[in-house]
Amino acid sequence: MEIREFLPKRFDRLNEQLQDNEAVLIFANNEPVGVNRFSQDKNFLYFTGLEIPNAKLLVAKSNGKISIKLFIERNIPERIVWEGAKMYPEEATEISAIENVKFLDEFNHEFSTSMAMFAIKKLYVNYGNLGIDKVLNDRLIFVRDLRDRNPQVVISEITEVVRPLRQYKDEFEIEQLQKAIDITGQGLDVIFKNAKAGMFEFQLESMLYNEMLSEGFRHWGFTPIIASAKNAATLHYIENEMQIADNCMVLCDVGAECYGYSADVTRTFPIGETFEPRCKEVYSEVLATQKELIEMIKPGISFIDLNKKAVELITKSCHKLGLIKEDSEVRKYYMHSIGHHLGLDTHDVGTRTSVLEPGMVITIEPGIYIDEESIGVRIEDDVLVTEDGFRVLSSNIPKEVEDLEKIRKETLS
């Protein structure tokens, strides 16, 4: 399955979102400085399939049709021996199926011409959000200068127009997500079978990353969380530096990236052969909650419904575990929402109030975090919404108590 098969359909859907005299300008990410690896802007990747820096994509609509222009860097023959050849227009067309490929040094003239020819009244740009204390990036400088020169043009952030497209995954996207999830599962399996008390959390992280690299997956979807004991009660613990103690649990919130698509899976397992009794109590409550919530998934259910049910179930669990006396106290032990959209971004476009529809991929990740007992449990799966229900894309990654204990006993015996 190749991405170029699906890109024209994405432009067709973009055409449906745009009004006449509207345009979209998408910047690729800049070439990284120093030894950092390049990672593409997700919207640019979505429409072009190209993992090249410094490029631009311009789409303008008039009379019900869109014009698509791609701008890429021009090769400088004297620099090829130093930097390697840049992508040629024919190569860009082969991958992206975009016929009209020009060079970046032609952009200013072509952009001005298109703005006038298509009488553009509104322009969508992937400029993102930047804190007031941050230095303006090239995208925001472009937007500022354009507003100064063309105050009649309304400029909006691109999320507004791409959210209705990207929240529904096509076959290619589901395939990439499944690959990312499967390699994440392989890495977790290595951790389950090799983790021992006395190791450091970062050693477990390295096991998963080595598995990813060996299979050709070079990027994390997000900074991995490997949190043992008390660290697991901190939601965004990323230091991964503590030595793992005996008889605790380890929480791994991890995800490999495939062609820009991110897995997001959390498993919590015992570092010993079995769960300690209290740990098993808490784990079993979270697992039961997660299973019940997943069974609710179908078209027409909203995140609001799922969140409401999650709080109800976890509140009951917290009473059962002796953690709370009043329902209102539950937020001390369960602080986050039940999940999010998943795709090119780990927290993908799509709102936390979305009503689920076929083609959406979401996470379901309940948890209970007991800081005073050095216990944190979260269990997270990636779920595709289907026409009549759901399919758990991460179903092959063990989470049942007996399965995890069986693996750990075999490891430690």
Side-chain angles (χ1 to χ4, degrees):
M1 193 179 296
E2 300 209 357
I3 192 169
R4 64 170 287 128
E5 305 171 40
F6 297 89
L7 296 176
K9 295 176 184 176
R10 296 179 188 177
F11 281 111
D12 289 343
R13 292 170 61 208
L14 178 61
N15 187 26
E16 293 171 2
Q17 292 297 316
L18 295 175
Q19 303 295 318
D20 281 343
N21 311 114
E22 292 185 347
V24 172
L25 174 62
I26 306 179
F27 289 76
N29 281 341
N30 292 329
E31 194 163 5
V33 176
V35 297
N36 295 316
R37 286 180 179 156
F38 177 70
S39 181
Q40 187 60 281
D41 176 89
K42 302 302 187 180
N43 287 309
F44 189 88
L45 185 63
Y46 180 78
F47 285 108
T48 70
L50 298 173
E51 298 186 273
I52 56 172
N54 308 323
K56 295 181 177 71
L57 176 70
L58 178 63
V59 182
K61 181 171 180 177
S62 181
N63 297 321
K65 295 182 179 180
I66 57 173
S67 165
I68 305 168
K69 294 179 182 179
L70 175 66
F71 299 86
I72 64 174
E73 292 182 288
R74 189 190 295 271
N75 270 297
I76 301 173
E78 294 81 7
R79 298 302 304 170
I80 291 177
V81 69
W82 294 94
E83 301 166 355
K86 302 182 186 301
M87 184 173 284
Y88 289 94
E90 307 79 49
E91 296 174 281
T93 296
E94 176 63 27
I95 295 169
S96 69
I98 298 171
E99 297 290 343
N100 196 352
V101 181
K102 298 181 179 295
F103 292 110
L104 281 173
D105 51 41
E106 303 174 90
F107 173 75
N108 287 341
H109 171 73
E110 291 287 338
F111 178 77
S112 298
T113 300
S114 293
M115 292 290 285
M117 182 183 299
F118 291 92
I120 298 303
K121 298 176 182 177
K122 186 171 187 177
L123 177 68
Y124 296 94
V125 183
N126 61 330
Y127 57 75
N129 296 305
L130 197 65
I132 193 68
D133 58 336
K134 305 297 182 184
V135 177
L136 292 182
N137 57 35
D138 57 339
R139 304 178 192 188
L140 286 169
I141 291 171
F142 177 89
V143 167
R144 180 194 64 188
D145 292 348
L146 183 62
R147 281 186 174 135
D148 288 345
R149 290 174 170 79
N150 298 272
Q152 76 282 4
V153 178
V154 176
I155 304 175
S156 295
E157 214 287 322
I158 198 172
T159 304
E160 176 186 339
V161 77
V162 299
R163 177 182 285 123
L165 281 64
R166 281 182 48 188
Q167 66 182 351
Y168 305 102
K169 274 53 182 184
D170 58 36
E171 292 175 63
F172 178 83
E173 294 179 284
I174 294 168
E175 181 182 80
Q176 307 319 303
L177 281 167
Q178 190 66 69
K179 288 178 182 177
I181 292 164
D182 289 345
I183 191 59
T184 302
Q186 286 179 223
L188 283 168
D189 186 59
V190 172
I191 290 174
F192 295 157
K193 292 178 178 176
N194 291 277
K196 292 182 175 66
M199 289 182 172
F200 287 86
E201 293 162 341
F202 58 76
Q203 289 178 278
L204 274 56
E205 177 184 341
S206 72
M207 292 177 193
L208 200 158
Y209 191 46
N210 182 65
E211 189 69 16
M212 287 165 50
L213 287 175
S214 67
E215 296 294 330
F217 296 78
R218 303 178 68 199
H219 296 284
W220 294 103
F222 55 93
T223 304
I225 296 171
I226 310 291
S228 61
K230 190 181 183 72
N231 295 334
T234 300
L235 298 186
H236 291 155
Y237 171 81
I238 57 172
E239 286 78 8
N240 302 350
E241 62 186 6
M242 183 177 284
Q243 192 169 22
I244 301 169
D246 286 325
N247 302 322
C248 71
M249 289 187 293
V250 180
L251 184 155
C252 300
D253 188 341
V254 292
E257 180 185 289
C258 178
Y259 211 141
Y261 292 85
S262 175
D264 188 4
V265 178
T266 305
R267 291 293 185 264
T268 308
F269 70 97
I271 198 65
E273 290 189 357
T274 60
F275 287 91
E276 292 294 300
R278 179 61 168 171
C279 293
K280 187 173 182 177
E281 274 188 298
V282 178
Y283 185 92
S284 297
E285 290 297 322
V286 175
L287 181 59
T289 294
Q290 199 223 21
K291 288 179 176 180
E292 187 164 343
L293 290 167
I294 289 174
E295 288 294 329
M296 290 176 62
I297 295 174
K298 63 180 179 180
I301 290 288
S302 72
F303 265 115
I304 293 174
D305 299 327
L306 291 169
N307 272 308
K308 184 178 178 181
K309 188 65 174 179
V311 172
E312 175 190 319
L313 293 172
I314 293 174
T315 299
K316 289 180 180 177
S317 291
C318 286
H319 278 295
K320 185 176 176 180
L321 293 166
L323 296 171
I324 62 175
K325 293 182 178 179
E326 302 293 333
D327 290 358
S328 59
E329 299 174 295
V330 70
R331 282 306 187 187
K332 179 182 177 182
Y333 300 101
Y334 173 64
M335 315 83 175
H336 54 80
S337 61
I338 196 56
H340 52 82
H341 289 263
L342 184 68
L344 282 167
D345 290 302
T346 307
H347 287 234
D348 207 26
V349 295
T351 69
R352 296 295 179 95
T353 59
S354 296
V355 175
L356 301 186
E357 297 181 57
M360 292 181 174
V361 178
I362 65 169
T363 66
I364 296 293
E365 48 182 302
I368 294 177
Y369 311 92
I370 315 171
D371 184 72
E372 62 270 24
E373 296 183 39
S374 295
I375 290 175
V377 175
R378 183 165 63 253
I379 307 170
E380 178 182 19
D381 280 297
D382 303 336
V383 186
L384 169 66
V385 183
T386 63
E387 294 288 344
D388 57 358
F390 64 89
R391 187 169 92 234
V392 180
L393 302 179
S394 49
S395 61
N396 289 333
I397 305 174
K399 63 181 179 181
E400 297 294 337
V401 169
E402 55 269 27
D403 292 335
L404 291 170
E405 289 188 337
K406 180 181 179 184
I407 295 169
R408 296 302 296 155
K409 286 176 182 175
E410 290 173 353
T411 293
L412 297 172
S413 61

